[in-house]
Amino acid sequence: MPKALRILSGPYAGGYELAPNGRLNWYFANLGLLPLVPMLSAADLQTYILPYLNLYLASTDPATSTIADIEFPYGRANTSVVKKVLADSDDAYASTFLSLASRYVAASGNWSWWEARKAALKNIAYRNLALTAKPSGLTAVFQAPRSQTNASGYLMDNCEGYRGLRDFAAVLRSRSELSEANYYDLLATNTADGIARHLFKGSAQAFLASDATLVPSTEFYPGTTCQVYPQAFGLRELTTQFSAGWNYLNIHTPGWETGRHDPFPWAILGYVAALRGQSSLARTQLVAIDKTFAANRSLVTINELGFYLRTRSVLNGGTAP
């Protein structure tokens, strides 16, 4: 489980490896830790989540509120020897972190932490999700100057962005910071509208992977896998398109639940199957992931474990974490 990947010593203690002896990828760690928040006791939240949140904030660039991944060339036993690696997005890292921070503070009631860190959290939201918003409502994947080489608005990133903005706005609203809550809620609404207008193709009944593509792709990644992201991240404005995305996935890449299309499990697909009441498909994927876990642990990464836990929670009658 994700807790087993926790780094216990060195300058990145409190962080999490992507997989055993893998890098610290903050985006995947965020996704892996999110479903843990409602499952942990108050004491465990302070042990497994709070140090990670503080480490993330301490590791961001103070001028841009962006963050670099960390490679451990000799494994986690040598965390004093590290190499920083450019993140492959600014928007998705920021939004998934905002979701994690928002859910932690709501679950723990640690409002003194919130008050001490909210300025940094607001900078993350503003610099990575507000300043990068395009006229279409979609968020560009990178801040300047990296946006000069890639300013695309990706479906996956923008679904995660929507969720981060909604979660962050909910905490702001609970603290009576209404003007800022309204601002970030508006950005989320604009994101959903941008996806509906620019990324959903009615003629194909499918989503585009990004605003840089003209037609939906039938390739597994990102073409069919991206189709479930609006439902996975709860874009309520797009509920009428959820079934179209789901059908496109299953028509063009049947058998995804057995892992036939990619060595990585793509547990998010089983999670959406569970949300849709497709219990047989979801359980089949869980069995396949268990087999993958036993055969090659490095393929079941922390983000995959996060969605694995979400799937099990939904199948067991719980709410979507």
Side-chain angles (χ1 to χ4, degrees):
M1 292 295 105
K3 291 191 289 187
L5 294 170
R6 187 164 172 256
I7 300 166
L8 300 177
S9 62
Y12 291 95
Y16 290 82
E17 291 179 303
L18 176 61
N21 291 320
R23 72 171 53 176
L24 197 175
N25 180 299
W26 305 96
Y27 163 65
F28 286 138
N30 295 340
L31 290 174
L33 295 177
L34 272 166
L36 285 185
V37 172
M39 301 177 186
L40 295 176
S41 66
D44 281 348
L45 283 171
Q46 308 309 101
T47 299
Y48 294 104
I49 305 298
L50 181 60
Y52 173 81
L53 296 176
N54 289 335
L55 179 65
Y56 188 107
L57 290 171
S59 301
T60 56
D61 184 325
T64 63
S65 299
T66 58
I67 196 165
D69 289 336
I70 306 298
E71 276 192 355
F72 308 116
Y74 305 106
R76 76 162 103 174
N78 293 279
T79 53
S80 60
V81 183
V82 301
K83 176 184 176 183
K84 292 189 176 182
V85 181
L86 286 175
D88 67 2
S89 73
D90 292 333
D91 58 349
Y93 280 61
S95 59
T96 52
F97 181 74
L98 289 172
S99 284
L100 181 62
S102 298
R103 294 182 188 193
Y104 160 77
V105 75
S108 67
N110 188 354
W111 297 111
S112 61
W113 178 86
W114 166 264
E115 291 299 326
R117 303 297 193 280
K118 69 179 181 181
L121 294 170
K122 289 177 181 180
N123 282 337
I124 288 172
Y126 185 67
R127 291 167 174 170
N128 292 290
L129 299 171
L131 292 181
T132 60
K134 304 198 285 185
S136 65
L138 300 174
T139 300
V141 65
F142 291 120
Q143 291 186 31
R146 293 183 74 190
S147 60
Q148 294 176 5
T149 57
N150 186 351
S152 297
Y154 290 95
L155 176 62
M156 292 176 173
D157 293 49
N158 275 271
C159 290
E160 293 160 343
Y162 172 96
R163 183 76 273 138
L165 289 165
R166 288 286 190 227
D167 291 344
F168 190 51
V171 176
L172 291 168
R173 195 172 303 283
S174 76
R175 304 296 288 174
S176 298
E177 298 194 41
L178 300 183
S179 62
E180 289 189 83
N182 290 339
Y183 176 72
Y184 287 111
D185 266 334
L186 178 61
L187 284 180
T189 298
N190 290 344
T191 299
D193 183 61
I195 292 172
R197 289 188 296 112
H198 298 284
L199 297 183
F200 186 75
K201 292 296 182 183
S203 57
Q205 285 296 289
F207 292 96
L208 298 174
S210 79
D211 57 5
T213 57
L214 298 178
V215 294
S217 169
T218 57
E219 293 183 4
F220 185 64
Y221 173 77
T224 65
T225 52
C226 74
Q227 303 295 323
V228 305
Y229 273 64
Q231 184 162 8
F233 289 91
L235 276 72
R236 59 179 181 263
E237 295 91 339
L238 299 178
T239 53
T240 57
Q241 283 83 46
F242 287 175
S243 290
W246 175 253
N247 292 338
Y248 193 85
L249 165 72
N250 285 280
I251 289 169
H252 293 287
T253 48
W256 55 263
E257 68 279 8
T258 65
R260 61 186 286 190
H261 300 288
D262 195 299
F264 287 94
W266 282 91
I268 191 173
L269 305 179
Y271 171 57
V272 173
L275 290 178
R276 297 183 62 82
Q278 300 285 323
S279 300
S280 178
L281 284 175
R283 293 186 190 283
T284 297
Q285 192 191 50
L286 291 182
V287 170
I289 291 174
D290 288 338
K291 291 179 179 177
T292 301
F293 183 97
N296 190 340
R297 175 63 188 85
S298 66
L299 293 177
V300 187
T301 53
I302 191 169
N303 56 303
E304 297 281 14
L305 288 170
F307 282 108
Y308 178 96
L309 291 175
R310 293 183 187 208
T311 303
R312 287 204 318 189
S313 176
V314 174
L315 289 175
N316 290 335
T319 56

